Amino acid sequence: MSQRLPTYFISHGGGPWPWMPDMAAAMQPLSHSLSDIPRQLGQTPKAVLMVTAHWEERAFTLGTNPQPGMVYDYGGFPPHTYKIVYPAPGAPALAQRVQGLLEAAGIPVAQDAQRGYDHGTFVPLAVMYPEAQVPVLQMSLRAGLEPAEHLALGRALAPLRDEGVLIVGSGLSYHNLRAFGRAGQAPSQAFDAWLQAALVAAPAERTQHLLDWEQAPAARQCHPREEHLLPLMVAVGAAEADTASCVYHEDAIFGGVTASSFRFDAA
């Protein structure tokens, strides 16, 4: 039997940064944190379930293509970044397992056999598993972006942790495209300080804090639209009674913005 795996909320960085030398150099702390995840796990997962901030549907939707293509959901980057291929196999059997878990929990679920990996999925995974050997199930957020629904999704997915599946919520702890650099410095610091405190609180308090996240300092300055925060809710819901630890933190990403990533496990 596989050891129970932790869950993660990762800040996935900006655009196709690993394939751009200047951006990759600037994001070395993020790169190191992502590439260290396999070591932290101590085992190769049977699959990664990636809940991506870059996909929203009316119902939580599962990518079921056995060999997904690519979705280049960014603009203004060099031509070579639109030829990137991350050839990890899909996980259609896992999609069926997830659909069963969600249906049993009364959560709307759908499948999409056409959609490829978006950059919320392939960018961090290319750093975590550059050989693309681990099957990947990509999953959408649900339109409406209700925190309670995404926490409930995480709870329904929790049994997968005992089945060798690594659950990852891929977003950004700060995501205001109009306020990077100095404009984002103070708001991101304030929100990150709240996030650190909220996530290390007792599990019951942590859940309530996340449900009320809009009351946090500079919440809407940091997340004018919360799609990059909602993957955190899924990671927490799947490890609601577990300990939180910060596995990535820096104050200089995007020209001075504070960003973090978190791990949730029983250790």
Side-chain angles (χ1 to χ4, degrees), residues 40-90:
Q40 294 173 26
L41 297 179
Q43 60 179 289
T44 301
K46 294 178 180 177
V48 176
L49 194 167
M50 184 70 80
V51 181
T52 170
H54 290 272
W55 187 15
E56 299 173 34
E57 298 286 353
R58 294 179 64 182
F60 292 115
T61 302
L62 307 166
T64 59
N65 194 316
Q67 196 62 58
M70 307 295 291
V71 176
Y72 305 114
D73 53 339
Y74 41 73
F77 290 95
H80 76 271
T81 64
Y82 299 89
K83 299 177 182 178
I84 295 165
V85 175
Y86 186 70

Side-chain angles (χ1 to χ4, degrees), residues 3 14 19 24 35 37 97 136 145 148 183 194 211 214 220 223-224 258 261:
Q3 178 182 351
W19 292 270
S35 63
I37 288 176
R97 168 68 172 142
V136 178
L145 303 179
W194 172 86
L211 288 170
E214 289 180 273
R220 280 300 178 186
H223 292 280
T258 298
S261 299

